[in-house]
Amino acid sequence: MTVVYVVIPLLMVAAVVVWVVGSRSRAKTDEQLLAERNAFARQVGAVEYRDGGRTRPSFGYFPTEGAGEFPQPFDYAVEFTRGATRVVAFEKRTRKHSPGGTVTHQLAHESVVEIPAPSTARVWIGPELLAVQNLELRAQLVPELTLGRHHRKLVVASPDPSFARQLVTPETLSWLTGRLGSWFRPIVIEHSTLRTNARPGDRLTPANIVGTADVLIEFLELLSPRLR
């Protein structure tokens, strides 16, 4: 019994120490990120938004606004011009999912980059494994627009399949895989924006903001002849 009485308090102390160290590490990471973002904003003449969405960029669509545990549109956003294209990038807290798909108690972040696009029906392009997890997307898959096989299969979903077939071609999908690889987070055109998750990583950094924005700008140029 004496050993138990000694070990249990030691384990509790160790758990507290781990939690404190982890909290300090996360805070340091957040401070570093904010400093990097602030330096980037000054460099490119960007506007930062850190008030949880009470003030908004000049454009943008925030898919999870008003939903779930974190109803604010974003936790942090930045707006700037890349060449002649306006860009909005934002980050929002979320919860991690277990391998089985259930939500855990661990915090995570989702980072998204958007550029303006013509107002059209929604077109979703991404891995089939992600599409079939959403009943709405699964019902809107366009059979003719696929690329690859098995777990690397790329698909297109839209409530307007005729428009999707007009906008996206097999060559378009080949361009995406050549630019992004065989697996990437979905690219979506809707609500007058073209968006995707910042890559790589789940936090918003100057490097993945610019890299992802360039992909979207190039992709929109590729689509432009069929958007007119």
Side-chain angles (χ1 to χ4, degrees):
M1 293 295 291
T2 304
V3 174
V4 172
Y5 287 135
V6 172
V7 170
I8 290 178
L10 286 175
L11 289 175
M12 293 176 66
V13 170
V16 170
V17 169
V18 169
W19 180 83
V20 170
V21 171
S23 297
R24 288 179 178 174
S25 176
R26 286 191 296 272
K28 184 177 180 182
T29 300
D30 286 341
E31 289 173 5
Q32 290 173 334
L33 276 172
L34 285 173
E36 290 175 9
R37 293 168 181 170
N38 186 250
F40 169 74
R42 291 196 306 269
Q43 179 184 357
V44 300
V47 178
E48 295 179 283
Y49 302 87
R50 305 182 188 178
D51 56 4
R54 288 189 292 276
T55 56
R56 301 289 189 106
S58 65
F59 79 99
Y61 173 61
F62 309 99
T64 60
E65 180 176 5
E69 182 180 358
F70 306 107
Q72 72 277 13
F74 52 79
D75 296 308
Y76 171 89
V78 61
E79 180 178 6
F80 64 101
T81 301
R82 181 77 170 161
T85 304
R86 290 178 296 156
V87 179
V88 163
F90 65 92
E91 181 181 277
K92 185 174 181 178
R93 286 167 292 163
T94 182
R95 291 287 180 189
K96 287 186 177 180
H97 288 73
S98 71
T102 58
V103 178
T104 71
H105 293 294
Q106 289 182 288
L107 276 176
H109 296 83
E110 182 175 15
S111 299
V112 176
V113 180
E114 301 183 336
I115 63 174
S119 178
T120 69
R122 183 185 65 195
V123 176
W124 185 102
I125 305 170
E128 183 184 44
L129 291 176
L130 296 180
V132 297
Q133 295 174 16
N134 183 304
L135 291 177
E136 182 181 10
L137 288 176
R138 189 191 308 176
Q140 296 175 356
L141 292 175
V142 183
E144 306 93 321
L145 296 176
T146 63
L147 184 71
R149 301 175 60 192
H150 307 306
H151 65 288
R152 297 186 181 276
K153 190 174 183 180
L154 189 64
V155 298
V156 178
S158 176
D160 187 342
S162 296
F163 173 71
R165 285 190 290 268
Q166 170 191 324
L167 183 67
V168 181
T169 66
E171 291 74 23
T172 307
L173 300 181
S174 295
W175 184 91
L176 282 174
T177 57
R179 193 70 168 79
L180 300 176
S182 58
W183 174 274
F184 55 84
R185 299 293 295 175
I187 292 180
V188 187
I189 183 170
E190 67 174 336
H191 295 282
S192 301
T193 64
L194 178 66
R195 74 172 189 275
T196 191
N197 290 84
R199 61 188 304 272
D202 63 342
R203 301 303 304 267
L204 203 60
T205 68
N208 65 23
I209 291 172
V210 171
T212 306
D214 285 346
V215 170
L216 291 178
I217 292 168
E218 292 176 35
F219 188 51
L220 188 62
E221 290 176 353
L222 183 67
L223 298 179
S224 290
R226 296 187 290 277
L227 282 169
R228 293 177 184 142

